[in-house]
Amino acid sequence: MRNKLFFKILILLAGSLCISFLNAKIKLPTLVSDGMVLQRNQKLNIWGKADANEKVEVKFLNKNYKTSADKNGNWKIVLPEQKAGGPYIMTINDAILKDILIGDVYLASGQSNMELPMRRLTPLYADEIKNASDQNIRFFTVPQKYNFKSPQTELEGGKWEVTNPQTILNFSGVAYFFAKELSQKNKVAVGIIHASLGGSPIQAWMDENSLKKYPEYLGEAKKWQNDDLIKSTELNEQALSKGWYAELDQSDLGLNQHWEKFDLNDADWKTMQIPGSWEDKEGPFDGSVWFRKEINLNKNQAGKTAFLNLGRIKDADVTYINGTKVGNVTYEYPPRWYDIPEGVLKEGKNVIAIRISNGGGKGQFIADKPYYLEIDGQKIDLKTEWKYKIGAKMEKMAPGTTFIRWKPTGLYNAMINPLINYNIKGAIWYQGESNTGKPREYGDLLTTMITDWRKKWNRKDLPFFTVQLANFMEPKTEPMESNWAELRDQQRQVALRVPNAGLTVIIDIGEWNDIHPLNKKTVGDRLALQALKVADRKNIIADGPVYQSMKTEGNKIILSFKIGTDDFEGISELKGFAIKGKEGKYEWAKAKIEGNKIIIWSDSISDPVSARYNWADNPDGNLKNKAGLPASPFTTE
């Protein structure tokens, strides 16, 4: 009996092993999947996992390529260079990959200005989104993960997506317009691998070896290799934050008394003009404040869908119309754009109510932003007097956040290293705002990162294009030091000294009151100019005037610019130049164009030694070439 049972068990085990063998399937990385764009004119890596020593066969464009997995189950096949085209089918053993295009593939990385999706740009590009339908523009969005222990080889998800009115909403605005321009100019498919994360400093995108000159960053990375520390920190911060907001909600009279109600008696509420800050009237405090605005509508406006634009608010808001919640935003940066459904608005009196909670810093409706209610294309201006009342004042500000995901090496390990087998044509990079606290190290960090990424992709000439930081914050009346200007200059110098690198200057399209300027099309188009010039070797003008050298003649400084960029646009009054004497400080300078030179001087300085252009957080310089491209901020020092 025992022998028969033993024999049955052996048969079952053998059967299961056979079934397992028959069902053994290769495992492909998420990048190698339906809809992918493969890089033209490069040898192509196709890789994955399988059982140890399993045979793998790739069939593509009527040719077969074979290999075997190693003892760990890893395999890779290198396909020969291919010309642009498609759609094609690829089979890998029993896996069938469909709708494959061959064109150009770019990595798009950085922080929030690269991450900013098209849905956040809807009012500017509503038609672009509505009519989006392009098989030749495809995105792969890398999951936002971090890992401090080791470089990862696989992503935890992601898929290739074709452009349509639904998918485009989640595409990076900068990368989308970049891809669209390149696809149209080169008549090929463009694939974007998008790996970015808002708020991230450059050191988060660098590996451990690249940071060896920076023990402070390496120490941070090592510290966060402790899973227990990560978990305890996150749980503690979540508990503190939850407790603060719970106390705020419990103390908020507006929540308890439902100040969002349509028929609330607000006769005793104070008033203030929007935009503006209630703290200018009430003094600084953290907590909540409620606003109410009554508007009257006619019967033709009643019941219709509408659009409410409340600019930007510091910090979080929940917005109601006639007691119905129409939207909320939980932090300061996103614009308050709320779609009002049918039936909410009514004839006669309507009430907009906003509850704002602010945990730190000056609470306010941001100035120079639009505030209106739009019905049938008609806008009702909301930059008027509103009623307000404090809901609750807290004794201390909201607890801070460690933002572990921004720590050194974490994003490189989880979001960049898994990509390095995938062939790309180049990289676009929009980052730097989070490094303005220590700008002078940025040039070395960026150069080191470019060198390392090129090594990882085994492309020492991999094109790399940086977006220089835009103008931001309130303008200053006098020349002064600026960390933002310093970091821009670091970006400029990297583009000058690193081969096959380019700089996209956007010093003319920023917004003083928004770290996320909305004009992403100009950014993408100018990035595409760099790619067409450097990566595709086309004879086009991609740069504004590029400063090259200076000399002094008496009380004047003569500035020379790179040949080909010195065809200046005629401007009657040049702005943005400053000059310094041997013993003094920088003063505003007069400037004029003489041929392909810029002459600058100040009547109060007889011995000039150096000059600066657009050296400020938010400068107003106007030097451009005839192609309409702005000069980068620079210093002659």
Side-chain angles (χ1 to χ4, degrees):
M1 189 73 177
R2 287 182 179 178
N3 288 337
K4 285 183 178 180
L5 181 62
F6 180 70
F7 182 67
K8 286 181 179 180
I9 291 171
L10 282 177
I11 291 174
L12 288 170
L13 284 172
S16 65
L17 286 171
C18 288
I19 292 170
S20 175
F21 176 76
L22 291 172
N23 289 342
K25 290 186 177 181
I26 59 166
K27 181 180 178 183
L28 297 173
T30 54
L31 274 168
V32 181
S33 55
D34 289 343
M36 66 180 171
V37 181
L38 296 174
Q39 178 57 48
R40 61 175 172 158
N41 305 329
Q42 287 186 25
K43 292 182 178 180
L44 299 170
N45 297 323
I46 304 296
W47 75 101
K49 291 272 192 180
D51 290 337
N53 304 314
E54 182 180 355
K55 293 181 179 179
V56 179
E57 182 176 14
V58 173
K59 298 179 181 179
F60 189 56
L61 294 179
N62 301 316
K63 292 188 178 181
N64 296 359
Y65 309 90
K66 299 179 180 180
T67 191
S68 296
D70 63 20
K71 63 181 180 180
N72 297 316
N74 297 310
W75 61 269
K76 182 169 79 169
I77 287 176
V78 180
L79 307 185
E81 296 181 9
Q82 306 289 342
K83 293 182 180 180
Y88 302 122
I89 292 175
M90 178 184 291
T91 61
I92 307 175
N93 285 14
D94 57 354
I96 301 175
L97 307 184
K98 301 175 183 177
D99 193 27
I100 299 168
L101 298 182
I102 300 174
D104 289 333
V105 182
Y106 278 87
L107 170 63
S109 188
Q111 57 182 109
S112 54
N113 269 304
M114 181 65 83
E115 181 184 0
L116 199 77
M118 287 293 287
R119 71 170 65 252
R120 284 268 298 272
L121 308 173
T122 302
L124 265 70
Y125 307 114
D127 289 341
E128 183 81 37
I129 293 169
K130 179 182 177 181
N131 299 318
S133 180
D134 196 333
Q135 292 288 320
N136 277 335
I137 300 175
R138 303 186 177 191
F139 268 68
F140 184 100
T141 302
V142 175
Q144 293 177 330
K145 303 288 182 179
Y146 61 81
N147 188 300
F148 302 106
K149 292 183 178 179
S150 63
Q152 302 300 289
T153 57
E154 296 184 20
L155 298 172
E156 294 186 21
K159 62 180 180 179
W160 285 98
E161 294 183 295
V162 176
T163 301
N164 62 48
Q166 289 72 46
T167 59
I168 193 177
L169 292 173
N170 295 321
F171 292 173
S172 156
V174 167
Y176 168 74
F177 287 116
F178 168 79
K180 182 180 180 182
E181 184 70 5
L182 283 186
S183 180
Q184 290 179 343
K185 286 291 192 295
N186 289 331
K187 309 299 181 187
V188 298
V190 175
I192 297 291
I193 302 174
H194 177 214
S196 61
L197 180 64
S200 56
I202 190 172
Q203 55 268 24
W205 299 100
M206 301 173 67
D207 74 353
E208 187 174 325
N209 185 61
S210 299
L211 292 172
K212 59 187 177 184
K213 289 193 290 184
Y214 298 90
E216 172 191 351
Y217 295 145
L218 285 180
E220 272 282 287
K222 186 172 183 180
K223 171 185 174 181
W224 294 106
Q225 291 175 0
N226 186 328
D227 291 337
D228 290 336
L229 176 62
I230 291 175
K231 186 175 180 180
S232 64
T233 301
E234 290 177 339
L235 288 174
N236 183 55
E237 289 180 350
Q238 289 169 8
L240 289 172
S241 179
K242 187 177 180 180
W244 192 90
Y245 284 101
E247 182 181 346
L248 174 64
D249 291 350
Q250 189 175 15
S251 305
D252 191 332
L253 294 174
L255 283 180
N256 298 324
Q257 298 173 9
H258 293 283
W259 289 352
E260 79 280 5
K261 289 191 303 184
F262 169 76
D263 56 357
L264 181 79
N265 182 0
D266 56 16
D268 63 340
W269 286 33
K270 298 177 181 179
T271 61
M272 66 167 276
Q273 191 78 14
I274 285 181
S277 174
W278 51 93
E279 295 188 24
D280 289 339
K281 288 176 168 283
E282 302 292 336
F285 74 94
D286 301 314
S288 64
V289 62
W290 290 72
F291 284 81
R292 288 172 65 88
K293 176 67 180 177
E294 181 179 324
I295 58 173
N296 285 285
L297 302 178
N298 60 44
K299 64 179 180 180
N300 293 326
Q301 297 169 314
K304 292 186 175 180
T305 59
F307 175 69
L308 179 63
N309 190 335
L310 292 176
R312 272 185 51 227
I313 301 171
K314 173 78 171 65
D315 213 4
D317 79 288
V318 182
T319 298
Y320 306 84
I321 294 184
N322 298 333
T324 298
K325 180 181 173 182
V326 295
N328 74 287
V329 170
T330 58
Y331 63 110
E332 67 177 293
Y333 291 117
R336 270 54 170 183
W337 296 334
Y338 300 138
D339 292 317
I340 314 304
E342 288 183 0
V344 172
L345 299 174
K346 56 186 183 179
E347 184 178 358
K349 175 184 172 181
N350 291 261
V351 175
I352 304 172
I354 311 169
R355 187 221 186 199
I356 301 171
S357 54
N358 185 42
K362 188 175 184 178
Q364 59 186 308
F365 290 85
I366 304 299
D368 285 352
K369 289 290 181 181
Y371 296 84
Y372 61 84
L373 176 67
E374 183 174 355
I375 308 170
D376 282 344
Q378 299 297 312
K379 294 180 180 179
I380 300 171
D381 187 13
L382 299 177
K383 289 184 177 180
T384 57
E385 191 172 77
W386 287 56
K387 292 184 175 182
Y388 78 94
K389 190 172 183 178
I390 295 172
K393 288 186 177 182
M394 300 291 282
E395 293 183 359
K396 56 184 179 181
M397 70 173 56
T401 304
T402 304
F403 295 110
I404 297 167
R405 61 185 180 273
W406 296 342
K407 299 301 181 182
T409 74
L411 300 182
Y412 172 84
N413 287 342
M415 296 178 67
I416 298 297
N417 199 73
L419 313 177
I420 61 177
N421 268 330
Y422 204 89
N423 301 79
I424 62 175
K425 182 162 187 172
I428 56 176
W429 174 254
Y430 192 165
Q431 190 280 332
E433 296 92 341
S434 290
N435 286 89
T436 52
K438 298 171 69 176
R440 294 195 175 184
E441 68 183 20
Y442 191 81
D444 178 65
L445 287 167
L446 181 58
T447 303
T448 302
M449 189 190 79
I450 294 171
T451 302
D452 181 65
W453 283 17
R454 287 175 168 178
K455 186 183 300 182
K456 295 298 198 313
W457 264 277
N458 196 27
R459 291 272 313 283
K460 65 180 181 180
D461 60 348
L462 181 78
F464 191 99
F465 309 114
T466 298
V467 180
Q468 192 180 57
L469 296 189
N471 47 313
F472 177 52
M473 295 181 283
E474 293 193 31
K476 303 295 192 298
T477 57
E478 296 297 329
M480 60 182 60
E481 298 306 313
S482 162
N483 281 6
W484 279 64
E486 181 71 55
L487 193 132
R488 290 187 196 108
D489 201 56
Q490 294 285 321
Q491 293 172 317
R492 178 185 71 90
Q493 292 184 50
V494 169
L496 288 173
R497 68 173 175 256
V498 174
N500 261 32
L503 182 69
T504 294
V505 178
I506 57 168
I507 199 65
D508 57 334
I509 62 169
E511 300 175 29
W512 77 266
N513 56 5
D514 201 335
I515 201 171
H516 304 120
L518 296 182
N519 183 357
K520 298 306 188 207
K521 185 178 188 305
T522 297
V523 183
D525 289 349
R526 288 181 184 174
L527 272 169
L529 284 177
Q530 292 290 336
L532 289 167
K533 178 186 176 184
V534 175
D536 294 310
R537 308 296 180 189
K538 293 187 177 180
N539 186 25
I540 63 171
I541 298 173
D543 298 294
V546 176
Y547 166 73
Q548 198 160 47
S549 63
M550 65 155 277
K551 67 177 182 178
T552 58
E553 286 187 3
N555 70 333
K556 294 181 173 62
I557 289 181
I558 302 172
L559 301 173
S560 297
F561 294 78
K562 183 179 178 182
I563 294 174
T565 72
D566 54 357
D567 188 13
F568 305 123
E569 182 180 273
I571 298 169
S572 58
E573 183 183 357
L574 286 175
K575 297 188 292 185
F577 288 92
I579 194 169
K580 186 173 77 169
K582 286 182 180 179
E583 305 299 330
K585 61 180 183 178
Y586 278 99
E587 299 178 10
W588 294 127
K590 298 176 182 178
K592 65 178 180 178
I593 297 170
E594 286 191 2
N596 62 352
K597 310 289 185 187
I598 303 290
I599 315 298
I600 68 170
W601 74 96
S602 170
D603 294 336
S604 62
I605 295 178
S606 59
D607 54 352
V609 294
S610 61
R612 285 175 173 175
Y613 172 70
N614 262 358
W615 196 268
D617 299 333
N618 188 4
D620 65 350
N622 55 358
L623 179 61
K624 297 182 178 182
N625 59 14
K626 289 181 179 176
L629 297 171
S632 166
F634 64 85
T635 177
T636 64
E637 292 179 283

